[in-house]
Amino acid sequence: AYGFVYRITNKSNGKWYVGQKKIDKQGKWKSYNSSSNKLKAEIKELGEDKLAFEILEYVDCKWMLNYLELYYQIILDAMFDEQSYNGIVNVRLRKFESMKERWKKMKKSFP
Protein backbone atom coordinates (compact mmCIF):
# COMPACT_ATOMS: atom_id res chain seq x y z
CA ALA A 1 0.00 0.00 0.00
CA TYR A 2 1.07 3.57 -0.66
CA GLY A 3 -0.94 4.99 2.25
CA PHE A 4 -4.27 5.01 4.01
CA VAL A 5 -7.22 7.22 4.91
CA TYR A 6 -8.13 7.05 8.58
CA ARG A 7 -10.62 8.30 11.16
CA ILE A 8 -9.82 8.98 14.81
CA THR A 9 -12.80 9.21 17.16
CA ASN A 10 -12.75 10.53 20.73
CA LYS A 11 -14.69 7.87 22.64
CA SER A 12 -15.75 10.26 25.40
CA ASN A 13 -17.37 12.97 23.27
CA GLY A 14 -17.79 11.44 19.79
CA LYS A 15 -15.65 14.06 18.04
CA TRP A 16 -13.77 12.71 15.03
CA TYR A 17 -11.08 13.51 12.49
CA VAL A 18 -10.50 12.17 8.97
CA GLY A 19 -7.04 12.35 7.45
CA GLN A 20 -4.49 10.52 5.36
CA LYS A 21 -1.03 9.13 5.88
CA LYS A 22 1.56 7.94 3.42
CA ILE A 23 3.31 4.77 4.56
CA ASP A 24 7.04 5.36 4.94
CA LYS A 25 9.82 2.82 5.01
CA GLN A 26 10.98 3.84 8.51
CA GLY A 27 7.67 2.75 10.04
CA LYS A 28 6.96 6.21 11.53
CA TRP A 29 3.41 5.95 10.16
CA LYS A 30 2.65 3.29 12.79
CA SER A 31 2.71 5.91 15.54
CA TYR A 32 1.15 8.74 13.52
CA ASN A 33 -1.93 10.31 15.08
CA SER A 34 -3.09 13.21 12.87
CA SER A 35 -2.03 16.65 11.76
CA SER A 36 -4.77 18.34 13.83
CA ASN A 37 -3.22 20.30 16.70
CA LYS A 38 -6.52 20.18 18.62
CA LEU A 39 -6.72 16.43 18.31
CA LYS A 40 -3.04 15.97 19.15
CA ALA A 41 -3.58 17.96 22.35
CA GLU A 42 -6.55 15.79 23.31
CA ILE A 43 -4.60 12.61 22.60
CA LYS A 44 -1.82 13.87 24.86
CA GLU A 45 -4.29 14.88 27.59
CA LEU A 46 -6.62 11.85 27.45
CA GLY A 47 -4.27 9.12 26.24
CA GLU A 48 -4.54 7.04 23.11
CA ASP A 49 -6.78 4.47 24.81
CA LYS A 50 -9.59 7.05 24.94
CA LEU A 51 -9.61 7.33 21.15
CA ALA A 52 -10.58 4.87 18.44
CA PHE A 53 -8.18 4.66 15.49
CA GLU A 54 -9.70 3.24 12.33
CA ILE A 55 -8.27 2.78 8.85
CA LEU A 56 -11.02 3.54 6.36
CA GLU A 57 -9.17 2.63 3.19
CA TYR A 58 -5.73 1.47 2.06
CA VAL A 59 -4.64 2.83 -1.32
CA ASP A 60 -1.80 2.17 -3.72
CA CYS A 61 -1.07 5.62 -5.17
CA LYS A 62 -0.85 9.29 -4.20
CA TRP A 63 -3.75 10.34 -6.43
CA MET A 64 -6.18 7.92 -4.81
CA LEU A 65 -4.93 8.82 -1.33
CA ASN A 66 -5.71 12.49 -1.93
CA TYR A 67 -9.02 11.72 -3.61
CA LEU A 68 -10.29 9.38 -0.90
CA GLU A 69 -9.32 11.70 1.93
CA LEU A 70 -11.39 14.41 0.26
CA TYR A 71 -14.19 11.94 -0.50
CA TYR A 72 -14.54 10.86 3.13
CA GLN A 73 -14.29 14.42 4.42
CA ILE A 74 -17.09 15.46 2.08
CA ILE A 75 -19.45 12.52 2.66
CA LEU A 76 -18.94 12.76 6.43
CA ASP A 77 -19.52 16.55 6.27
CA ALA A 78 -16.21 17.30 8.01
CA MET A 79 -16.37 21.05 7.42
CA PHE A 80 -19.81 21.58 8.93
CA ASP A 81 -20.31 18.81 11.48
CA GLU A 82 -19.69 20.25 14.95
CA GLN A 83 -18.26 16.87 15.98
CA SER A 84 -15.44 17.12 13.43
CA TYR A 85 -11.93 18.21 14.38
CA ASN A 86 -11.18 18.87 10.70
CA GLY A 87 -10.67 22.58 10.11
CA ILE A 88 -9.11 22.50 6.65
CA VAL A 89 -9.91 20.58 3.50
CA ASN A 90 -7.01 21.07 1.14
CA VAL A 91 -6.44 18.94 -1.93
CA ARG A 92 -5.09 19.45 -5.40
CA LEU A 93 -6.08 16.84 -7.96
CA ARG A 94 -5.81 16.66 -11.68
CA LYS A 95 -8.19 14.68 -13.82
CA PHE A 96 -6.66 11.26 -14.10
CA GLU A 97 -8.20 9.26 -16.94
CA SER A 98 -6.69 5.94 -15.88
CA MET A 99 -8.45 6.15 -12.49
CA LYS A 100 -12.01 6.30 -13.88
CA GLU A 101 -12.59 2.56 -14.12
CA ARG A 102 -10.89 1.87 -10.77
CA TRP A 103 -13.07 4.45 -9.09
CA LYS A 104 -16.27 3.05 -10.58
CA LYS A 105 -15.42 -0.36 -9.12
CA MET A 106 -14.30 1.01 -5.74
CA LYS A 107 -17.15 3.39 -5.02
CA LYS A 108 -19.68 0.57 -4.95
CA SER A 109 -18.27 -0.40 -1.55
CA PHE A 110 -18.32 3.10 -0.02
CA PRO A 111 -21.07 4.61 2.08
Side-chain angles (χ1 to χ4, degrees), residues 29-43:
W29 61 271
K30 292 178 182 177
S31 61
Y32 182 76
N33 60 21
S34 128
S35 61
S36 166
N37 290 331
K38 269 184 146 174
L39 181 55
K40 283 181 186 180
E42 285 201 14
I43 291 170

Side-chain angles (χ1 to χ4, degrees), residues 40-72:
K40 283 181 186 180
E42 285 201 14
I43 291 170
K44 189 175 182 177
E45 178 185 327
L46 299 172
E48 287 188 7
D49 61 317
K50 302 290 189 235
L51 294 115
F53 296 81
E54 157 187 27
I55 293 178
L56 300 173
E57 203 70 38
Y58 283 101
V59 297
D60 61 4
C61 71
K62 182 179 180 179
W63 189 93
M64 192 59 80
L65 183 62
N66 289 332
Y67 190 86
L68 286 178
E69 178 189 28
L70 174 64
Y71 177 82
Y72 278 105

Side-chain angles (χ1 to χ4, degrees), residues 5-6 9-11 14-16 19 22 29 39 41 43 46 48 62 65 69 72 74 76 78 86 96:
V5 178
Y6 63 89
T9 304
N10 182 324
K11 295 176 191 177
K15 289 187 78 165
W16 54 271
K22 185 174 84 172
W29 61 271
L39 181 55
I43 291 170
L46 299 172
E48 287 188 7
K62 182 179 180 179
L65 183 62
E69 178 189 28
Y72 278 105
I74 297 298
L76 294 172
N86 290 85
F96 198 2

